[in-house]
Amino acid sequence: MSRLVVVANRVPLGDGSRSPPGGLAVALQETLAAEGGLWFGWSGRVVAGPAGELQQRKAGAITFATLDLSRIDHGEYYTGFANRCLWPAFHYRVDLATDCGRNFDGYIRVNRLFARKLLPLLDRDDDIWVHDYHLIPMGEILREAGAHHRIGFFLHTPLPAAEILVTIPAHERLMRALCAYDLVGFQTAGDLRAFHDYVRYEAGGEVLADGTVRAYGRICRADVFPIGLDVDNIVAAGEAAMDSPSLRRLRDSLQGREMIIGVDRLDYSKGLIERFRAIETFLEIYAASRNRVAFLQIAPPSRAEVPEYREIRRQLEGEAGRINGQFGEPDRVPLHYLNRSFRRTTLAGYFRLSRAALVTPLRDGMNLVAKEFVAAQDAEDPGVLILSRFAGAARQLSAAVIVNPYDTRAVADAIHRAIAMSGGERKERWGDMMKAVRGYDIARWRNDFLAGLRGPAGAGAAAT
Ligand code: ADP
Ligand code: F6P
């Protein structure tokens, strides 16, 4: 079988240290552990001089090949274009997409640098799978350099509606680059629809009944592959964690209260300000239930070099302090707010201990936390998932309590409903959700995508 080469901005160090929080790293770790292969990308380090030499390390079946970035490259490619243009625009925050003009050249330059360093590592028969918005031009650049491999691309974020996409000055370059892949994967049917709309109405291309797209003189295929979990792993982690000392300590600290958990990278797309307001509204309106619940929000800092992320962190610290100042007692506070990473096994235990989870992003490609919460539950006494309609996961987890995260009163009501929900209803909802989580797990995601890429129509062709 051909070797799989994964290209992604984020690569764990491969030295046994913890994976960085983020859906991409978690999913790819599981994919490559099963397939074996090469994982190529940024080392996560920024160096004072020019971009560093390629470093390679083998861990089990995976070879990690990483590159340090220079300050300028990191600033223009990662902080600038990827995270102050594409990330906000793809999450419908056009108001925060402030770096779309000036950093596009840096974005292309680093994509070229990655391609240049990757090419000598490729074998003839490799299949290349490029991931996420940092590397959209990579396939086109590899093709221009003569790579004849099958090259696929998966977008972990939403693809916004064409009206939003066209606000990015380089939209045509980006969409043309997407069409250079053999197969483009999206998280939801809505993302695929946005792509098709752009192809039809902006690019003047066509979408054929079999999913083939013709645009810019190219042919590619695009489809939906909703990312999933290594379910058994999370189930086992949830069960095993229940007897751990840290779980026991947390359980004791609850003093008989029910725990409601949130776990998110500290990102404005996760709707944390709105969530804290909903918690405040709940504490105000449902005063009789105040002493029945404790909220735990875990939010590891993310992209701290981007000013908008520092600002949201500052705001959340203020909000958490204000809520605890208003509703706390000398011996307990309603909201525990922690900015750090945990082992995935520990998180699974926290999920299992919780009566409910608040997963209320304002926009999210999928949201693996929602699925992890479901997988970690005790089948006999499952918790309730309160899920934003704007998370990709809501397409599959329709048995969650679905909310509009902008409607703080509705989220407060959902919290109340979750703590009052009967065991029977909780089990029924959880059973439906677990079926969906198991039905499309990480193996299915990986196998479907790779089968699509390696299938008969897999080799990329220029339209004639
Ligand atoms: P995103 O990719 O936008 O960060 P997801 O919810 O899809 O959102 O993925 C986040 C992943 O990171 C999940 O697998 C989650 O368990 C993990 N994660 C989030 N917060 C933490 C944390 N504090 N410690 C460890 N892992 C975390
Ligand atoms: O899943 C979305 C995503 O942007 C991934 O691409 C990324 O690895 C993760 O979130 C964490 O972000 P970052 O790599 O910028 O720390």
Side-chain angles (χ1 to χ4, degrees):
M1 201 178 52
S2 48
R3 180 178 71 151
L4 177 62
V5 174
V6 160
V7 187
N9 175 64
R10 192 53 80 179
V11 184
L13 291 178
D15 57 2
S17 61
R18 235 173 262 186
S19 279
L24 180 146
V26 168
L28 293 185
Q29 186 89 50
E30 285 162 349
T31 293
L32 275 164
E35 274 274 316
L38 174 69
W39 188 343
F40 177 96
W42 177 40
S43 64
R45 282 188 296 263
V46 179
V47 291
E53 285 309 301
L54 197 69
Q55 290 137 28
Q56 293 196 56
R57 179 185 282 115
K58 200 162 165 43
I62 311 176
T63 301
F64 296 90
T66 55
L67 207 60
D68 298 342
L69 286 180
S70 73
R71 273 193 216 302
I72 290 181
D73 284 350
H74 177 260
E76 295 182 2
Y77 149 79
Y78 175 79
T79 309
F81 197 75
N83 285 318
R84 295 192 86 190
C85 176
L86 295 183
W87 179 272
F90 282 13
H91 290 81
Y92 288 76
R93 291 299 304 269
V94 174
D95 58 317
L96 301 182
T98 50
D99 268 15
C100 287
R102 60 196 147 138
N103 287 316
F104 185 65
D105 290 348
Y107 176 73
I108 295 289
R109 187 177 65 243
V110 173
N111 269 266
R112 286 194 194 286
L113 169 72
F114 280 154
R116 210 166 51 241
K117 297 283 182 177
L118 175 63
L119 278 162
L121 305 184
L122 293 178
D123 293 334
R124 261 189 78 214
D125 294 336
D126 286 344
D127 294 322
I128 305 172
W129 191 1
V130 180
H131 290 262
D132 233 359
Y133 59 100
H134 316 83
L135 298 173
I136 293 172
M138 174 64 69
E140 186 178 46
I141 294 170
L142 288 170
R143 291 246 183 271
E144 284 164 4
H148 297 295
H149 305 75
R150 287 183 280 235
I151 313 181
F153 178 85
F154 186 79
L155 185 65
H156 291 253
T157 67
L159 186 76
E163 290 88 335
I164 300 284
L165 259 179
V166 296
T167 63
I168 300 171
H171 63 92
E172 195 188 328
R173 289 277 305 272
L174 294 165
M175 299 306 276
R176 181 189 288 271
L178 265 191
C179 295
Y181 289 98
D182 296 303
L183 177 62
V184 179
F186 296 105
Q187 299 273 28
T188 68
D191 302 319
L192 180 63
R193 200 165 49 240
F195 181 61
H196 285 168
D197 283 352
Y198 186 96
V199 164
R200 286 194 188 105
Y201 307 119
E202 288 292 328
E206 58 177 339
V207 179
L208 308 182
D210 65 355
T212 305
V213 166
R214 285 171 181 264
Y216 306 116
R218 292 171 177 165
I219 296 177
C220 73
R221 282 168 306 121
D223 213 336
V224 178
F225 305 90
I227 201 165
L229 304 179
D230 179 347
V231 183
D232 290 332
N233 203 335
I234 303 280
V235 170
E239 282 167 6
M242 292 317 276
D243 289 328
S244 71
S246 88
L247 245 284
R248 260 183 269 133
R249 275 201 307 279
L250 179 58
R251 195 187 287 116
D252 292 346
S253 76
L254 290 174
Q255 303 171 19
R257 292 174 295 171
E258 307 265 29
M259 187 162 91
I260 303 194
I261 195 166
V263 176
D264 311 77
R265 270 184 316 100
L266 214 169
D267 193 301
Y268 50 79
S269 66
K270 301 292 180 183
L272 294 169
I273 297 283
E274 292 76 5
R275 190 181 303 171
F276 279 13
R277 299 224 166 105
I279 290 172
E280 185 178 12
T281 305
F282 167 81
L283 294 168
E284 264 164 19
I285 295 177
Y286 296 104
S289 299
R290 247 180 235 167
N291 288 325
R292 284 183 57 199
V293 290
F295 293 91
L296 172 61
Q297 176 63 52
I298 297 174
S302 180
R303 305 174 193 163
E305 56 280 56
V306 181
E308 289 76 21
Y309 287 73
R310 292 200 294 275
E311 175 57 19
I312 183 105
R313 183 169 185 178
R314 195 191 58 73
Q315 284 178 26
L316 285 166
E317 280 161 7
E319 291 289 309
R322 203 169 53 72
I323 292 170
N324 283 333
Q326 195 180 344
F327 297 102
E329 299 289 342
D331 62 338
R332 54 168 69 177
V333 290
L335 175 59
H336 297 260
Y337 175 53
L338 307 180
N339 297 125
R340 49 165 289 208
S341 284
F342 289 86
R343 288 185 188 288
R344 301 194 74 216
T345 45
T346 308
L347 282 183
Y350 290 177
F351 289 146
R352 195 175 172 100
L353 187 63
S354 302
R355 167 54 69 226
L358 281 165
V359 181
T360 54
L362 305 179
R363 269 303 148 175
D364 214 330
M366 176 52 61
N367 199 293
L368 285 181
V369 167
K371 294 183 174 181
E372 288 166 1
F373 175 78
V374 171
Q377 294 307 302
D378 176 355
E380 293 309 313
D381 187 22
V384 180
L385 176 63
I386 299 171
L387 180 61
S388 163
R389 58 177 294 169
F390 303 119
R395 307 285 122 223
Q396 294 166 291
L397 305 180
S398 52
V401 174
I402 302 290
V403 292
N404 173 357
Y406 294 95
D407 186 345
T408 46
R409 174 62 202 254
V411 178
D413 291 344
I415 296 170
H416 185 249
R417 191 170 161 206
I419 54 174
M421 193 178 284
S422 70
E425 183 176 349
R426 281 187 282 120
K427 277 191 197 171
E428 198 177 319
R429 285 175 180 271
W430 176 79
D432 287 352
M433 291 191 286
M434 193 62 178
K435 207 164 143 199
V437 168
R438 276 207 184 279
Y440 209 96
D441 63 1
I442 190 74
R444 177 92 191 268
W445 175 75
R446 174 187 73 238
N447 293 339
D448 276 8
F449 189 92
L450 291 177
L453 182 64
R454 290 167 172 161
T464 49

